[in-house]
Amino acid sequence: MIGTWSSHRLRLLRELQLRGTIAAVASALNYSASTVSQQLAKLESEIGTPLLRADGRRVRLTPAGETVAAHAARVLALEEEARGALELTAPGPSTVRVAAMQTAAMALVPPALARIEAEHPHVRVEMVLLPPEQGLFELEAGSLDVVVAEQYVGRTRPHRPGLERTLLGRDPIDLVVAQDSAIRSLADARESAWVVEPEGTQARAWVLEQCRAAGFEPDVRFEAADLVAHVRLIASGRAVGFVPGLAFDGDDAPVRRISLPSAAHREVFLAFRSSSREVPAVTAVRGALAAAFADARHRDDEAADGAR
C-alpha cells in the first residue's frame, strides 16, 4: 500500500531520476553510495516490483521506477504545501535556502538579509553562490528554496516542471572600457582584448553574438566567472567587456560605461517551487529580494549617468 512507502526513500528515487547516478545522489545528500542502494532496494521490496535495472556500471529506472518517481515528486510537493499551511497557523523558526549568481549575491542578498532580520527575525537564510544553470537544477531537486537567476534576450532558460518564476526586472548591460579609453562604440572595440565569462554560459554566448552582429570576432584573452575581476581588469586598461549594472553596485572603479543602441539588458528573476508559493518564510525572502533589486536598480541608474 502507498501508505507504507517511506517518503525518505521516495525522495532518493526522485533524486536518482534527476541526478542519474547513485554516486551523485549520495554526494548531494551526504550519504554513502551503499546506503542509497540499500534504501532503494528496500523501496523496491515495499512496492513489490523492480524499480532499477543495471546498465553497464550504472543503474537506470525501469518504467515502473519512472512512474513511482513521478508520483514521488507529487508526494514531496504535497508535503511542502502542508508544511507551508502549518506555518500559516503556527509560525516558528524557518530556514530558506537561496542560490544566487555573483552579482545578486553582492548587490541583493545583503540588503535583503537586513530587511528579513528586521521584519521576519524567525527566518534563517542560508545562501550559496551558484550559476543559474546549477541553481535551477538544485531547486528542482529540492536542495534549494529560491534561486536568483538571469536570462538574456533570445536565450530564455527552459521552464522546469514544478517551478515558477517572478521577474524582478531588467538589468542594463553596457560595453565597459577604462575611464581614459578612446573607445566610444562597440565598433571601436574590434581590435581590443576582451574579458568574458566561461564557456557554456549564456553570458558568453550573448557577448559573442553582439560582437558578431557588429561585424567582428572578439579577441578573447581573459575568462572569468567573477564579474568583479572583469571590472578590475577593464579598469586597468587591459581589456574591454560587457558588464551588467548589478556588478557596479557599490563599486566606484575608474571605468566608463557605453550604452548600446539596442539598450541591451538581461532579465533577472526569482525561481521557486510551486509547492512553496504560500510558504510564509519563502514568501518573505522573495519579497525582500524583490525590494533589494528595485533599490539596486535605482542606485545604478544614478551611478550609470555619472559613468557615461
Side-chain angles (χ1 to χ4, degrees):
M1 295 176 60
I2 191 168
T4 66
W5 301 357
S6 162
S7 63
H8 171 67
R9 287 189 276 276
L10 287 173
R11 183 186 177 191
L12 291 178
L13 186 68
R14 171 62 172 161
E15 290 276 349
L16 181 59
Q17 183 187 45
L18 291 171
R19 299 185 187 278
T21 68
I22 286 176
V25 174
S27 176
L29 301 181
N30 294 317
Y31 292 146
S32 68
S34 61
T35 297
V36 173
S37 296
Q38 290 167 8
Q39 291 298 308
L40 290 174
K42 191 164 186 178
L43 180 62
E44 281 188 321
S45 176
E46 291 171 344
I47 293 175
T49 190
L51 302 177
L52 309 176
R53 61 179 176 82
D55 184 7
R57 299 178 63 181
R58 303 174 58 173
V59 296
R60 296 192 183 277
L61 272 62
T62 63
E66 293 285 356
T67 298
V68 175
H71 283 280
R74 292 195 283 274
V75 169
L76 296 171
L78 286 172
E79 285 188 352
E80 185 166 46
E81 289 176 12
R83 288 195 297 271
L86 287 175
E87 280 189 36
L88 285 170
T89 59
S94 299
T95 298
V96 178
R97 300 155 298 176
V98 176
M101 55 193 181
Q102 184 197 27
T103 48
M106 294 189 304
L108 307 185
V109 172
L113 290 176
R115 183 182 291 265
I116 291 166
E117 289 169 2
E119 300 177 2
H120 306 279
H122 62 287
V123 175
R124 170 190 170 96
V125 177
E126 297 178 353
M127 190 209 80
V128 60
L129 188 68
L130 287 178
E133 293 83 0
Q134 187 177 353
L136 292 169
F137 174 84
E138 293 296 338
L139 177 66
E140 184 181 5
S143 63
L144 297 169
D145 300 306
V146 179
V147 174
V148 189
E150 64 177 1
Q151 63 183 13
Y152 289 76
V153 176
R155 291 185 168 273
T156 54
R157 295 190 182 278
H159 287 268
R160 296 177 180 271
L163 302 188
E164 295 185 21
R165 298 179 184 182
T166 298
L167 179 65
L168 295 183
R170 293 180 171 184
D171 188 21
I173 302 172
D174 293 326
L175 172 64
V176 181
V177 300
Q179 200 166 57
D180 59 356
S181 171
I183 293 174
R184 291 292 180 270
S185 69
L186 179 55
D188 293 341
R190 66 173 58 243
E191 302 299 330
S192 300
W194 281 75
V195 56
V196 300
E197 293 193 44
E199 288 278 6
T201 60
Q202 275 199 5
R204 184 186 182 119
W206 183 86
V207 168
L208 295 179
E209 287 177 354
Q210 300 308 303
C211 293
R212 289 167 182 167
F216 68 93
E217 193 71 18
D219 177 9
V220 176
R221 297 189 202 176
F222 310 104
E223 179 181 296
D226 185 342
L227 290 180
V228 174
H230 285 220
V231 175
R232 293 291 185 269
L233 192 60
I234 293 168
S236 75
R238 268 54 178 198
V240 301
F242 283 113
V243 183
L246 285 181
F248 292 100
D249 196 68
D251 194 311
D252 57 356
V255 297
R256 186 159 44 80
R257 298 166 65 174
I258 302 170
S259 297
L260 298 183
S262 60
H265 66 273
R266 63 177 179 171
E267 291 183 340
V268 180
F269 64 90
L270 297 180
F272 54 95
R273 284 184 299 281
S274 301
S275 54
S276 73
R277 186 191 307 113
E278 305 300 329
V279 175
V282 174
T283 301
V285 171
R286 285 163 41 205
L289 287 167
F293 180 86
D295 291 344
R297 284 295 311 116
H298 178 70
R299 290 192 301 271
D300 183 57
D301 285 342
E302 294 180 338
D305 289 340
R308 291 187 174 116

